[in-house]
Amino acid sequence: MNEHDNSLIYSLRLSCKSLVTAALALFLLLGRDALAAPPIAPPPAPPVADEILLISTRQMGTTCDPNRMEREMDCRRLTFDADGLPTWMTYDWHNLQNPSTGTRKTVIYVHGNRVELGNDVAEGMAVYESLVGARRSGEPLRYIIWSWPSEQIPGLIKDYKVKAKRTNEVAWQLAWFVDQLPADMPLALMGYSYGARTVSGTMHLLGGGHLNELRFTSRRHPERSPARVALVAAAFDADWVVPGEVHERALTQIEQMVVVTNRLDPAMRFFRLSTKHSRVDAMGLAGVDHREKLGTALNRIRTIDVTHEVGRSHVIYDYLADEPKMTSMWRQLLEDSGDSQSDTIIPAYAHIRPHTELK
């Protein structure tokens, strides 16, 4: 075997190694929900006046028709049945448009890719458990799990392409829903992975931006106060929120944005390999890139790095397990400067389970 043959074999090995690395990275980015979620403790109870809702667009797909959104959004409310067991009962989401609901703080959680029906509730309630553990105010709030059609579809590359495009439609649906809520309702949104991409896109659309052909020609409540936003392990380019980029209008609708990063998250590290269009690292790895272009808007961005605590994982339960950093994130989302700093004891829930019956 001559030197040329050795060189050729070496090159082939490198090529194969690169392909395996890229495939693994894409799997980690898109398939993290295929990993078995660790058992989670039953979430604690909210204060009695808290309201917990599940809103799903799974049955209607990615339609961006306001009339269908009016009719077909599936809304469930966590309540107790006649036997005292926690149950998700059908609920008319139009009740949220009542002006009397406008003063209650509302938190919306948007999950990531490949979250199956049923797991959306389990994951959403785990996030709620994190929220309850962090809050210091006894002020009642409303918590909404936003569930979108993220089930795995055949083909790794196809799944990526379809879901990447789908986040635009999901962002439009969420933006439409937010625009229906009373203008004075204090809002906070948390998105994980592709859910973070959705949340950022939602803010961009509400700010008058467009995502390909999707935009709002008119707003029901254009005078709405800016929301607070948390982007955890955000699976989109780190510079998308700066002027001239894909979500450039997002910060116009955001009072404060918390970006949670992890430099060892494999999905974030290899994000650029997952798409030929990515020119920079993922926001979930690098934070906001080209920050010098943001001017005074930069003052509204906070970064929390969980690299040391979470390490090589793209599983949301590992992020939630970092209680000190999650507590910091939640308090930046929920607390006003004048909020009391004394701890408030939150009463525990009686045997509520992540998987509860839908009725």
Side-chain angles (χ1 to χ4, degrees), residues 139-185:
E139 177 188 5
L141 57 75
R142 178 181 298 105
Y143 176 72
I144 299 174
I145 304 168
W146 186 267
S147 181
W148 56 281
S150 62
E151 300 89 346
Q152 180 180 354
I153 61 176
L156 192 62
I157 301 299
K158 181 180 179 181
D159 186 273
Y160 165 73
K161 291 181 177 179
V162 169
K163 301 300 178 51
K165 180 180 182 298
R166 188 173 294 178
T167 57
N168 289 343
E169 284 85 5
V170 178
W172 188 97
Q173 292 175 330
L174 180 55
W176 181 88
F177 169 74
V178 167
D179 192 43
Q180 308 309 303
L181 302 177
D184 57 348
M185 181 182 289

Side-chain angles (χ1 to χ4, degrees), residues 73-85:
M73 272 198 312
D74 183 24
C75 183
R76 310 294 177 103
R77 188 170 186 256
L78 185 59
T79 184
F80 292 92
D81 62 18
D83 298 321
L85 298 175

Side-chain angles (χ1 to χ4, degrees), residues 13-276:
R13 286 176 177 172
L14 285 179
S15 298
C16 290
K17 184 177 180 181
S18 298
L19 288 173
V20 170
T21 300
L24 177 60
L26 190 56
F27 171 79
L28 289 167
L29 176 64
L30 303 176
R32 58 99 190 171
D33 296 302
L35 302 173
I40 59 174
V48 175
D50 265 10
E51 183 177 38
I52 303 176
L53 302 174
L54 170 69
I55 297 181
S56 175
T57 61
R58 289 175 183 262
Q59 73 285 351
M60 59 187 295
T62 58
T63 180
C64 294
D65 179 356
N67 294 323
R68 289 192 61 187
M69 292 288 291
E70 283 272 1
R71 300 190 309 268
E72 299 179 30
M73 272 198 312
D74 183 24
C75 183
R76 310 294 177 103
R77 188 170 186 256
L78 185 59
T79 184
F80 292 92
D81 62 18
D83 298 321
L85 298 175
T87 307
W88 294 93
M89 300 293 291
T90 299
Y91 185 73
D92 185 353
W93 71 267
H94 292 91
N95 291 326
L96 302 178
Q97 295 178 309
N98 190 319
S100 65
T101 69
T103 58
R104 178 173 294 198
K105 286 183 179 178
T106 298
V107 179
I108 302 175
Y109 170 66
V110 186
H111 61 72
N113 190 24
R114 291 190 174 184
V115 175
E116 304 292 329
L117 183 65
N119 288 339
D120 49 1
V121 173
E123 183 171 309
M125 291 304 293
V127 171
Y128 180 73
E129 179 180 10
S130 172
L131 183 161
V132 169
R135 64 195 283 195
R136 291 185 287 197
S137 170
E139 177 188 5
L141 57 75
R142 178 181 298 105
Y143 176 72
I144 299 174
I145 304 168
W146 186 267
S147 181
W148 56 281
S150 62
E151 300 89 346
Q152 180 180 354
I153 61 176
L156 192 62
I157 301 299
K158 181 180 179 181
D159 186 273
Y160 165 73
K161 291 181 177 179
V162 169
K163 301 300 178 51
K165 180 180 182 298
R166 188 173 294 178
T167 57
N168 289 343
E169 284 85 5
V170 178
W172 188 97
Q173 292 175 330
L174 180 55
W176 181 88
F177 169 74
V178 167
D179 192 43
Q180 308 309 303
L181 302 177
D184 57 348
M185 181 182 289
L187 286 176
L189 296 91
M190 174 190 168
Y192 179 78
S193 191
Y194 270 19
R197 182 172 176 150
T198 296
V199 168
S200 181
T202 294
M203 295 294 102
H204 172 69
L205 288 168
L206 290 174
H210 66 88
L211 296 173
N212 295 328
E213 72 283 0
L214 297 174
R215 65 167 67 243
F216 285 110
T217 55
S218 62
R219 288 274 304 274
R220 181 186 180 97
H221 296 297
E223 71 285 5
R224 179 180 305 282
S225 299
R228 296 187 182 185
V229 164
L231 307 177
V232 182
F236 60 94
D237 288 12
D239 64 354
W240 269 16
V241 298
V242 305
E245 296 299 334
V246 181
H247 293 172
E248 64 175 341
R249 299 293 300 169
L251 284 172
T252 67
Q253 302 300 299
I254 295 175
E255 176 189 359
Q256 182 167 303
M257 184 169 79
V258 183
V259 180
V260 178
T261 61
N262 178 2
R263 297 187 303 277
L264 292 179
D265 184 324
M268 299 296 96
R269 290 177 61 197
F270 297 109
F271 173 78
R272 293 177 67 177
L273 296 178
S274 68
T275 171
K276 64 183 180 180

